[in-house]
């Protein structure tokens, strides 16, 4: 007797469906809870992995995780956006399927490709808020949506007043790190907000640096010649990532790792 498929088994769901299973919802909150469970004693050096732009390069995820898991003293990993290519929830879930194998929590900021089609809704469902902050050890991290082009340069993204409020309140932290996807010197960043954004960083005395993705390659410099350092991440495609160590007031070291 031939076996048949039930009607529900024949349904093909829309690729724009951003619903996610319970274990792949609110990943930011879940990973922050994991991080809080292993606090960093005051005065200890902070050490984390910085990477970005997994879009289209999902096959490298397994090797990346294997390499990161071999690094000593890593507390967490930061992914600087463009988790997906087409803003599909299933792409974000594919990346999580690999990154959840890390021995440490990972945290993300939204990228421009994560906002294609229903991507913004998918990102919020799977990861969480577009703008958020947290304190770990002596450092406050501020993660902000800078994907201005995806909002038609409406003058509200990035949310500079929110950013200024976060920078003005270190919440007991000794130093601050800002993380976004599109760097302010990029053409995809709202030019009407560039000066105010850069000024907000420049006026923050305890800022270590600002970290970005989007450009798919590593760089470090001070593009506005104002004393603020900007660090850009490798993409998964480049099979490199950074191990970032921060200590003291604003001292840091960037180590490139190939995998």
């Amino acid at each position: 007797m031939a076996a048949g498929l039930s009607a529900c088994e024949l349904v093909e769901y829309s690729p724009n469906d951003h619903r996610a299973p319970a274990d792949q919802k609110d990943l930011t909150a879940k990973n922050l809870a994991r991080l809080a469970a292993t606090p960093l004693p005051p005065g200890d050096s902070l050490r984390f992995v910085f990477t970005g732009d997994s879009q289209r390069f999902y096959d490298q995820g397994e090797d990346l995780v294997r390499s990161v898991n071999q690094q000593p003293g890593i507390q967490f990993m930061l992914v600087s956006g463009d988790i997906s290519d087409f803003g599909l929830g299933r792409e974000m879930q594919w990346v999580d399927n690999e990154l959840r194998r890390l021995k440490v929590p990972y945290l993300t900021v939204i990228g421009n490709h994560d906002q294609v089609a229903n991507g913004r809704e998918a990102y919020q469902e799977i990861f969480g808020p577009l703008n958020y902050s947290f304190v770990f050890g002596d450092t406050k991290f501020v993660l902000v949506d800078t994907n201005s082009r995806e909002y038609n340069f409406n003058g509200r993204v990035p949310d500079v007043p929110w950013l200024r409020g976060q920078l003005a309140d270190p919440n007991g932290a000794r130093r601050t790190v800002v993380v976004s996807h599109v760097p302010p010197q990029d053409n995809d960043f709202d030019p009407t907000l560039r000066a105010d954004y850069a000024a907000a960083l420049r006026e923050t005395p305890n800022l270590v640096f600002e970290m970005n993705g989007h450009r798919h390659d590593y760089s470090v410099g001070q593009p506005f010649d104002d004393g603020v350092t900007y660090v850009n991440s490798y993409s998964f495609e480049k099979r490199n990532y950074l191990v970032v160590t921060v200590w003291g007031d604003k001292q840091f070291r960037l180590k490139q790792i190939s995998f």
Side-chain angles (χ1 to χ4, degrees), residues 43-251:
D44 277 17
S45 295
L46 172 69
R47 187 170 291 109
F48 62 94
V49 165
F50 183 51
T51 185
D53 297 86
S54 56
Q55 58 178 113
R56 298 194 306 275
F57 315 122
Y58 308 124
D59 290 344
Q60 286 84 346
E62 182 177 355
D63 290 341
L64 170 67
V65 168
R66 184 182 300 110
S67 176
V68 171
N69 282 343
Q70 294 172 357
Q71 297 299 321
I74 298 298
Q75 284 114 19
F76 60 93
M77 185 167 85
L78 281 179
V79 182
S80 63
D82 277 3
I83 295 97
S84 66
D85 193 16
F86 301 106
L88 300 179
R90 66 176 66 174
E91 293 177 295
M92 300 178 195
Q93 292 174 49
W94 291 339
V95 174
D96 175 62
N97 286 339
E98 293 299 333
L99 298 190
R100 63 175 46 216
R101 301 173 191 269
L102 289 163
K103 295 178 180 178
V104 295
Y106 77 93
L107 296 157
T108 67
V109 68
I110 191 167
N112 59 309
H113 281 261
D114 300 322
Q115 305 202 35
V116 176
N118 291 337
R120 197 174 301 150
E121 291 80 3
Y123 182 91
Q124 289 173 301
E125 167 109 343
I126 294 169
F127 293 103
L130 307 184
N131 298 318
Y132 67 99
S133 66
F134 66 93
V135 174
F136 184 67
D138 294 329
T139 308
K140 180 175 182 178
F141 287 84
V142 182
L143 295 94
V144 57
D145 180 358
T146 57
N147 303 289
S148 308
R149 188 176 296 278
E150 276 52 56
Y151 298 85
N152 295 315
F153 300 109
N154 64 7
R156 298 193 298 273
V157 176
D159 187 340
V160 178
W162 177 86
L163 175 64
R164 283 188 174 274
Q166 290 292 320
L167 295 177
D169 179 15
N171 197 17
R174 181 178 184 178
R175 51 187 175 253
T176 302
V177 170
V178 174
V179 186
S180 68
H181 180 66
V182 175
Q185 67 270 34
D186 195 274
N187 289 335
D188 290 329
F189 192 101
D190 193 331
T192 68
L193 297 175
R194 183 174 293 126
D196 198 13
Y197 184 91
L201 302 184
R202 183 176 65 250
E203 295 163 7
T204 303
N206 66 343
L207 182 75
V208 182
F209 40 48
E210 207 262 17
M211 312 188 84
N212 302 110
H214 193 53
R215 295 186 165 189
H216 289 220
D217 211 350
Y218 168 64
S219 66
V220 56
Q222 298 185 1
F224 300 110
D225 295 321
D226 59 358
V228 177
T229 299
Y230 291 79
V231 180
N232 211 90
S233 70
Y234 287 109
S235 66
F236 278 31
E237 175 191 26
K238 298 299 174 66
R239 300 186 66 87
N240 281 270
Y241 58 84
L242 296 178
V243 171
V244 183
T245 306
V246 180
W247 70 96
D249 290 330
K250 298 196 295 184
Q251 288 73 39

